[in-house]
């Protein structure tokens, strides 16, 4: 049977549904021939139709296009591209490989996919990932609109879609565990905790086989389709199910007042280095998508993952921008966290540049104007740009915040002044007057590294389960096991660990900036010392829901802190804090154990600060003692009729470790004893 074809048009890229058919368009500058493959079922060993593109009719400039009357959403398709195979010159065409459309909005056949088949010579049709035609305009959003919650009110929760509900303790049915639909079931938990935004580890279709066998890639930093939601996270197995289920999830989060931020990986792809599989970009136009070495057989590896996307090339860059706009306009996401974002600051040859076009295009695009843009402002090639990434639009993961706060509470000398800067929103890192004051995304832990529980339980990483002889993962953890490595039944060690955890939480939520929490830290999730769980798709990484009751003390503490900071204006200041205590603007004053003496000495391991919001009539005093002995702090005098009330003392047993303002205990006298390795927060209240 011969299908009718029309010339088609060169825009938009991808497969676009019209009332009378589907237009297919893909870019390839250097292929000599291109075929569109149509499949009836995803696992088909061969296509039911092979439609060759006629360069005289179906090519405009370097865009190959064809219109297929009668086709509809749900049609499964792929491409084959022919051309020169000369790796030493950078050409890697392989007409035996089925290729994904770079603009594919859904992907199927993940059940039969083989990375090995895509890497070795021979036809891989039955084992190839395949694209699906999607019509995004048919979904009923029921009036859903972006939430646009200000950074000053944002509490980010970094979570893994699969790992959050995959554990049998989640209480979900087996079909919903580890899915977008399963995540919807847990929205009440996140609301109860006080979360305003979830930051989802990569949900773009990725290669789960990109790991050391028999382990699987769990985190998802191995993208192969930037427009398609990962199929394995869908409880629906029909070809369009993942798209609709993802949108159902976003809509449900918005109804609950929670934003959805995607962790996006535009710095590299699952195709890896010169020994990797041919899945899409490599087989369509290797030069256009990847930075190659001077010997173009080899891929520049500024990501540590085998290849580097040529983000400042007009084709790869346009794809990145188009993908971002698609996820905002058609999938209603609220923002993006850009993995290894400093890749965007490299030119087509990998050289760092001061004014990267891709960043300016992203920051100025009107479709993206209301979204959160968060950069991980470094890469694996040594480019570190925290505080200096181009433009004033991007918030940033503040890696220096993580390191300085960890070092301070470990008791390292010389951390008092850095600690004060981190609490003030890192003005030493972000001095730009036009930059959002909350652009510093403050975190103690994230997916990459120790969990918070393990940060206070291990001095060294324990990654033997990853199959790389404990060579993988960072050795620079700035952790302290509180006197004993790993799990313990020693009461004194356990009590100190619990106190350290509360210290970290206290400073995180007192700091100016946007706080981010790692999934499960609120209930002491442990990875048993593994600081690189990228390949651990098992209970080592999953959220164990029984931990909520087992660690109710920590959960109550963090939930109370979040509510406390969300209820007071003093934590939502949108300006740089004044250091003049007489200022009519919100201001901060720094002390040590004595009033008027900051205590910035190198070996000082304590600090105190007086935070005042005159307009809101809110005054707070915090004392932090990272020393191994008790210290007594002077208390600032208050106006007549007011007294200090204790909100937090991490040395006290529950429920006195955290108290709601309404029932907080009054503190009298001129001094307060802060026990070893403890934090105290007082708030001024009118005397009853």
């Amino acid at each position: 049977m011969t299908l009718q074809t029309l010339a088609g048009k060169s825009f938009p890229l991808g497969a676009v549904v019209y009332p009378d058919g589907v237009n297919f368009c893909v870019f390839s500058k250097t292929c000599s021939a291109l075929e569109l493959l149509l499949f009836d079922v995803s696992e088909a060993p061969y296509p039911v139709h092979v439609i060759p593109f006629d360069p005289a009719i179906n090519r405009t400039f370097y865009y190959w296009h064809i219109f297929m009357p009668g086709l509809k959403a749900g049609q499964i398709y792929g491409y084959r591209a022919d051309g020169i195979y000369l790796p030493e010159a950078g050409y890697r065409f392989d007409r035996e490989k089925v290729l994904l459309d770079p603009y594919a909005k859904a992907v199927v056949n993940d059940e039969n996919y083989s990375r090995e088949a895509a890497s070795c010579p021979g036809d891989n049709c039955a084992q190839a990932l395949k694209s699906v035609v999607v019509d995004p305009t048919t979904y009923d959003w029921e009036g859903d609109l972006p939430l646009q919650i200000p950074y000053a009110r944002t509490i980010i929760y970094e979570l893994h879609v699969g790992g959050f509900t995959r554990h049998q303790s989640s209480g979900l049915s087996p079909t919903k565990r580890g899915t977008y639909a399963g995540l919807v079931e847990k929205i009440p938990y996140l609301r109860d905790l006080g979360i305003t935004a979830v930051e989802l580890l990569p949900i773009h279709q990725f290669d789960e086989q990109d790991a050391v066998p028999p382990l699987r890639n769990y985190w998802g930093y191995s993208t192969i389709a930037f427009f398609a939601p990962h199929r394995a996270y869908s409880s629906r197995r029909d070809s369009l199910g993942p798209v609709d289920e993802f949108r159902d999830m976003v809509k449900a989060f918005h109804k609950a007042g929670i934003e959805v931020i995607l962790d996006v990986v535009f710095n590299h792809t699952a195709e890896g280095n010169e020994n990797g599989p041919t899945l899409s970009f490599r087989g369509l136009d290797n030069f256009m998508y990847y930075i190659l070495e001077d010997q173009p057989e080899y891929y520049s590896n500024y990501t540590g993952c085998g290849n580097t996307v040529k983000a400042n090339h007009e084709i790869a860059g346009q794809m990145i921008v188009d993908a971002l706009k698609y996820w905002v306009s058609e999938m209603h996401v609220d923002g993006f966290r850009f993995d290894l974002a400093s890749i965007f600051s490299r030119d087509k040859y990998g050289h760092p540049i001061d004014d990267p076009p891709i960043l300016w295009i992203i920051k100025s695009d009107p479709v993206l104007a209301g979204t959160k843009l968060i950069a991980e402002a470094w890469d694996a090639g040594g480019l570190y740009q925290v505080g200096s990434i181009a433009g004033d639009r991007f918030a940033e993961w503040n890696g220096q915040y993580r390191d300085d706060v960890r070092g301070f509470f470990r008791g390292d000398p010389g951390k008092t002044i850095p600690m004060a800067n981190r609490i003030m929103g890192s003005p030493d890192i972000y001095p730009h007057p036009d930059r959002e004051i909350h652009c510093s995304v403050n975190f103690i832990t994230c997916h990459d590294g120790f969990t918070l529980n393990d940060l206070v339980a291990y001095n060294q990483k324990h990654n033997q389960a990853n199959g790389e002889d404990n060579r993988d993962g960072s050795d620079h953890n700035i952790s302290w096991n509180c006197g004993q490595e790993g799990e313990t039944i020693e009461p004194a060690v356990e009590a100190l660990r619990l106190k350290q955890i509360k210290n970290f939480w206290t400073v995180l939520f007192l700091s100016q900036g946007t706080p981010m929490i790692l999934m499960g830290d609120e209930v002491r999730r442990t990875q048993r010392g593994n600081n690189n769980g990228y390949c651990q798709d098992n209970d080592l990484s999953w959220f164990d829901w029984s931990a909520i009751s087992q660690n109710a003390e920590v959960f109550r503490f963090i939930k109370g802190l979040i509510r406390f900071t969300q209820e007071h204006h003093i934590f939502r200041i949108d300006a740089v804090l004044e250091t003049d205590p007489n200022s009519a603007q919100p201001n901060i004053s720094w002390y040590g154990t004595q009033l008027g003496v900051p205590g910035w000495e190198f070996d000082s391991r304590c600090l105190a600060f007086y935070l005042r919001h005159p307009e809101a009539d809110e005054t707070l005093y915090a004392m932090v003692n990272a020393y191994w002995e008790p210290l007594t702090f002077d208390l600032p005098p208050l106006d007549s009729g007011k007294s200090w009330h204790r909100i937090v003392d991490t040395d006290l047993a529950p429920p006195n470790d955290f108290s709601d303002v309404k029932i907080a205990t009054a503190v009298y006298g001129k001094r307060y004893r802060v026990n070893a390795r403890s934090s105290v927060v007082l708030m001024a209240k009118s005397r009853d």
Side-chain angles (χ1 to χ4, degrees):
M1 173 182 168
T2 302
L3 293 181
Q4 179 188 2
T5 67
L6 300 174
K9 57 184 181 181
S10 60
F11 63 92
L13 282 159
V16 179
V17 179
Y18 293 91
D20 54 342
V22 177
N23 189 80
F24 296 88
C25 180
V26 66
F27 177 92
S28 181
K29 178 180 179 180
T30 51
C31 79
S32 59
L34 189 71
E35 294 175 337
L36 173 65
L37 314 177
L38 301 180
F39 301 89
D40 282 345
V41 293
S42 63
E43 67 274 17
Y46 50 84
V48 291
H49 296 287
V50 177
I51 300 99
F53 287 74
D54 183 343
I57 300 172
N58 304 117
R59 181 177 177 181
T60 302
F61 189 49
Y62 301 129
Y63 295 93
W64 301 75
H65 46 80
I66 197 165
F67 188 86
M68 304 295 299
L71 292 192
K72 298 179 181 179
Q75 175 65 55
I76 300 168
Y77 71 102
Y79 292 106
R80 279 200 179 113
D82 203 356
I84 300 170
Y85 181 77
L86 193 64
E88 58 269 29
Y91 296 101
R92 292 183 173 272
F93 290 104
D94 183 350
R95 76 168 318 277
E96 293 187 298
K97 295 294 181 282
V98 176
L99 305 176
L100 280 173
D101 181 354
Y103 281 66
K105 296 176 176 63
V107 173
V108 292
N109 205 37
D110 56 322
E111 303 94 336
N112 303 301
Y113 164 71
S114 167
R115 184 176 177 87
E116 182 179 5
S119 304
C120 299
D123 186 290
N124 73 326
C125 194
Q127 297 169 294
L129 296 173
K130 301 177 177 78
S131 310
V132 183
V133 175
V134 174
D135 183 0
T137 66
T138 60
Y139 183 77
D140 182 6
W141 279 104
E142 301 178 78
D144 178 77
L145 293 171
L147 297 179
Q148 296 188 8
I149 298 172
Y151 278 112
R153 290 185 47 244
T154 297
I155 310 290
I156 299 174
Y157 189 86
E158 188 196 32
L159 69 81
H160 186 283
V161 171
F164 196 55
T165 62
R166 199 163 282 167
H167 199 279
Q168 63 180 8
S169 64
S170 67
L172 302 182
S173 66
T175 57
K176 278 195 175 182
R177 292 176 195 161
T179 67
Y180 307 119
L183 194 51
V184 171
E185 298 289 324
K186 296 301 183 180
I187 287 176
Y189 170 82
L190 295 169
R191 287 195 66 184
D192 181 49
L193 182 57
I195 299 305
T196 71
V198 289
E199 184 173 299
L200 307 181
L201 264 68
I203 59 84
H204 292 165
Q205 184 70 38
F206 64 89
D207 187 351
E208 295 184 3
Q209 296 177 22
D210 188 9
V212 178
L215 300 171
R216 299 178 69 80
N217 191 304
Y218 167 67
W219 282 351
Y221 292 91
S222 187
T223 308
I224 195 54
F226 293 108
F227 293 75
H230 190 57
R231 182 171 173 77
Y233 292 158
S234 176
S235 64
R236 292 174 50 178
R237 303 315 298 164
D238 57 295
S239 60
L240 298 176
V243 180
D244 284 341
E245 189 170 322
F246 179 89
R247 293 189 284 195
D248 289 344
M249 178 197 71
V250 172
K251 187 164 60 175
F253 269 114
H254 286 176
K255 287 180 179 178
I258 298 175
E259 293 183 314
V260 178
I261 299 170
L262 302 186
D263 191 338
V264 290
V265 191
F266 292 114
N267 58 79
H268 72 281
T269 79
E271 291 186 309
N273 64 16
E274 55 277 3
N275 300 314
T278 298
L279 302 170
S280 179
F281 314 102
R282 171 178 292 164
L284 285 167
D285 217 318
N286 197 39
F287 274 108
M288 301 297 108
Y289 291 102
Y290 297 117
I291 300 174
L292 304 180
E293 295 284 83
D294 292 338
Q295 293 180 277
E297 177 182 358
Y298 302 102
Y299 292 80
S300 296
N301 186 16
Y302 300 109
T303 64
C305 299
N307 64 48
T308 306
V309 170
K310 195 180 287 187
N312 281 297
H313 186 280
E314 53 271 25
I315 297 304
Q318 184 65 55
M319 178 190 69
I320 291 169
V321 174
D322 287 347
L324 295 173
K325 291 161 68 173
Y326 172 77
W327 285 99
V328 170
S329 62
E330 302 297 345
M331 306 296 270
H332 284 211
V333 304
D334 301 278
F336 306 93
R337 177 265 185 188
F338 295 87
D339 181 63
L340 297 182
S342 288
I343 293 300
F344 286 0
S345 294
R346 294 184 181 273
D347 66 13
K348 300 176 185 179
Y349 309 100
H351 305 136
I353 50 177
D354 293 331
D355 213 20
I358 185 68
L359 288 178
W360 289 103
I361 293 170
I362 291 171
K363 76 180 282 289
S364 60
D365 190 282
V367 175
L368 307 178
T371 61
K372 288 183 168 67
L373 303 177
I374 303 170
E376 183 186 41
W378 56 82
D379 67 20
L383 196 55
Y384 189 83
Q385 298 180 301
V386 173
S388 63
I389 203 160
D392 55 12
R393 173 77 166 81
F394 288 83
E396 294 177 3
W397 270 24
N398 191 342
Q400 198 61 49
Y401 181 96
R402 171 199 61 204
D403 294 349
D404 287 337
V405 175
R406 287 185 180 191
F408 179 85
F409 280 119
R410 191 170 66 173
D412 295 353
K415 289 295 180 183
T416 306
I417 293 177
M419 181 74 155
N421 276 316
R422 301 307 148 247
I423 290 172
M424 286 183 65
S426 298
D428 56 330
I429 296 175
Y430 304 105
H432 320 299
D434 295 331
R435 201 155 193 175
E436 162 73 57
I437 192 64
H438 294 275
C439 66
S440 173
V441 175
N442 301 328
F443 64 103
I444 310 297
T445 58
C446 65
H447 68 277
D448 190 2
F450 282 146
T451 66
L452 187 57
N453 179 84
D454 293 358
L455 185 67
V456 300
Y458 294 89
N459 283 349
Q460 289 87 33
K461 65 186 182 184
H462 296 268
N463 296 358
Q464 290 82 0
N466 295 355
E468 300 181 45
D469 298 321
N470 208 35
R471 294 189 302 270
D472 64 303
S474 175
D475 294 312
H476 184 64
N477 296 295
I478 320 180
S479 62
W480 179 47
N481 64 17
C482 297
Q484 186 173 324
E485 189 76 357
E487 296 180 6
T488 183
I489 58 172
E490 174 60 44
V493 174
E494 174 62 13
L496 180 54
R497 289 177 179 177
L498 186 58
K499 186 158 59 171
Q500 287 286 77
I501 287 172
K502 293 177 183 178
N503 288 334
F504 282 122
W505 285 130
T506 300
V507 165
L508 177 65
F509 284 95
L510 291 184
S511 299
Q512 198 167 24
T514 302
M516 184 183 78
I517 303 170
L518 171 64
M519 176 186 92
D521 274 354
E522 72 277 13
V523 293
R524 299 187 66 179
R525 185 176 71 85
T526 178
Q527 293 179 178
R528 298 191 285 277
N530 191 318
N531 74 349
N532 188 32
Y534 83 99
C535 56
Q536 297 296 327
D537 189 6
N538 49 54
D539 62 2
L540 188 74
S541 298
W542 299 344
F543 189 108
D544 183 348
W545 290 85
S546 66
I548 300 172
S549 58
Q550 294 168 6
N551 294 284
E553 175 183 340
V554 176
F555 184 74
R556 172 190 168 275
F557 184 87
I558 178 59
K559 187 169 73 168
L561 261 180
I562 292 174
R563 186 177 64 252
F564 173 66
T565 57
Q566 289 286 75
E567 288 177 349
H568 291 88
H569 297 282
I570 203 166
F571 301 108
R572 300 200 298 271
I573 300 168
D574 286 321
V576 177
L577 288 167
E578 299 282 344
T579 55
D580 178 3
N582 298 313
S583 172
Q585 302 300 317
N587 56 77
I588 190 168
S589 300
W590 292 100
Y591 307 114
T593 57
Q594 298 178 339
L595 295 180
V597 183
W600 299 136
E601 295 85 0
F602 178 79
D603 60 351
S604 173
R605 293 172 173 84
C606 70
L607 58 79
F609 60 92
Y610 179 90
L611 186 59
R612 191 171 68 99
H613 195 311
E615 293 181 3
D617 191 24
E618 294 175 354
T619 305
L620 176 144
Y621 194 62
M623 298 162 282
V624 186
N625 178 17
Y627 194 51
W628 41 86
E629 292 182 2
L631 296 173
T632 300
F633 288 74
D634 292 341
L635 297 181
L638 291 170
D639 295 337
S640 177
K642 289 191 174 183
S643 60
W644 292 113
H645 287 67
R646 188 181 61 230
I647 308 301
V648 171
D649 187 336
T650 60
D651 187 66
L652 298 178
N656 297 316
D657 54 346
F658 174 85
S659 298
D660 187 89
V661 176
K662 298 182 181 65
I663 60 171
T665 301
V667 173
Y668 299 104
K670 297 181 179 180
R671 312 193 82 192
Y672 192 101
R673 175 187 166 101
V674 180
N675 280 328
R677 301 190 187 277
S678 300
S679 304
V680 174
V681 179
L682 309 178
M683 194 158 192
K685 283 180 58 180
S686 297
R687 293 193 183 99
D688 296 333

